[in-house]
Amino acid sequence: MSMHSTYVNRTAACVIALGLGLLMALPADAVRRRELENPITNAPEELPFRELDVPPPAFPQDKDLIEYTATGRATSRFFIDGSTLSVGEDSVIRFILEVRSASGVRNLTYSGVRCDTMQWKDYAYANPDRSWRRDAGAAWEEVEPKRLNNYRASLIDGFLCLDGLKKGSNRGNAKTIVRLLKNPPEPDNRSPRISR
């Protein structure tokens, strides 16, 4: 064997080894990229939110209204129609809310809450003739705690959505939430409540 053929054989072996190394590195690189994009192996991909189009329910009857207390100062009273509260397949909790002023004026909305994003949406408003006026431009809004009439954050934090490790989840099905509204737990003042 000549020196030239030994050099060619070594060069060919190096090229083949380099090529094999690259071929083996490509799948490993693809796995690393996939793990960075989705760190939980074999986890189902999260689907984008798809909201159901749910028409407003029948107008509420006073016997179905459940009063709840808002945290902080309140100049109004707040009620949920337990017969209309539902948890949709899109995980939106929908209900009729009544805000009753001290002078007796009643404002009703057909509203929804997303626990995963802590957002609120008013789908429709009550007309004086007990019909609904749908809001075509209704959009999801962040819920911020307020010092006066904190009814949205109070409803979400106290009755509709979980906090802590399971934050972003519903407290349960409609029946569970209605039972909680009817029988609210006593406040636990042993530890300070942290505002979001």
Side-chain angles (χ1 to χ4, degrees), residues 7 16 33 35-36 40 43 56 63-64 71 80 91 103 106 108 111 121-122 134 141 149 154 167 175 183 190:
Y7 175 75
I16 290 171
R33 260 196 330 267
E35 286 175 353
L36 288 174
I40 302 173
K63 69 179 180 65
D64 295 322
T71 55
I80 294 294
S91 297
S103 64
R106 300 168 79 166
L108 284 85
S111 304
K121 185 177 191 179
D122 290 325
R134 289 185 83 162
E141 303 171 358
N149 293 330
S154 297
K167 184 173 182 147
K175 193 175 187 178
N183 305 296
R190 293 178 293 174

Side-chain angles (χ1 to χ4, degrees), residues 26-146:
L26 287 175
D29 187 49
V31 168
R32 267 193 303 278
R33 260 196 330 267
R34 187 174 63 240
E35 286 175 353
L36 288 174
E37 292 170 4
N38 183 8
I40 302 173
T41 314
N42 297 324
E45 293 297 320
E46 192 170 317
L47 299 174
F49 174 65
R50 296 184 80 147
E51 185 174 8
L52 299 174
D53 182 23
V54 179
F59 216 76
Q61 298 180 24
D62 285 346
K63 69 179 180 65
D64 295 322
L65 296 176
I66 305 166
E67 186 170 8
Y68 72 96
T69 304
T71 55
R73 279 191 48 225
T75 59
S76 299
R77 294 171 63 198
F78 310 99
F79 302 85
I80 294 294
D81 178 3
S83 71
T84 63
L85 192 137
S86 67
V87 180
E89 288 185 26
D90 55 4
S91 297
V92 174
I93 303 171
R94 293 178 178 84
F95 49 87
I96 292 177
L97 168 76
E98 178 179 314
V99 178
R100 193 178 301 170
S101 73
S103 64
V105 175
R106 300 168 79 166
N107 290 302
L108 284 85
T109 58
Y110 179 52
S111 304
V113 166
R114 289 184 61 190
C115 290
D116 61 333
T117 59
M118 296 297 186
Q119 292 179 311
W120 184 289
K121 185 177 191 179
D122 290 325
Y123 295 103
Y125 300 89
N127 290 318
D129 66 356
R130 298 176 63 85
S131 65
W132 293 105
R133 178 179 42 84
R134 289 185 83 162
D135 183 356
W140 290 103
E141 303 171 358
E142 296 290 325
V143 175
E144 297 292 331
K146 298 182 177 187

Side-chain angles (χ1 to χ4, degrees), residues 164-184:
L165 292 175
K166 294 193 173 197
K167 184 173 182 147
S169 300
N170 300 344
R171 286 197 183 266
N173 60 25
K175 193 175 187 178
T176 301
I177 295 170
V178 168
R179 187 173 51 246
L180 185 60
L181 281 161
K182 288 180 176 178
N183 305 296

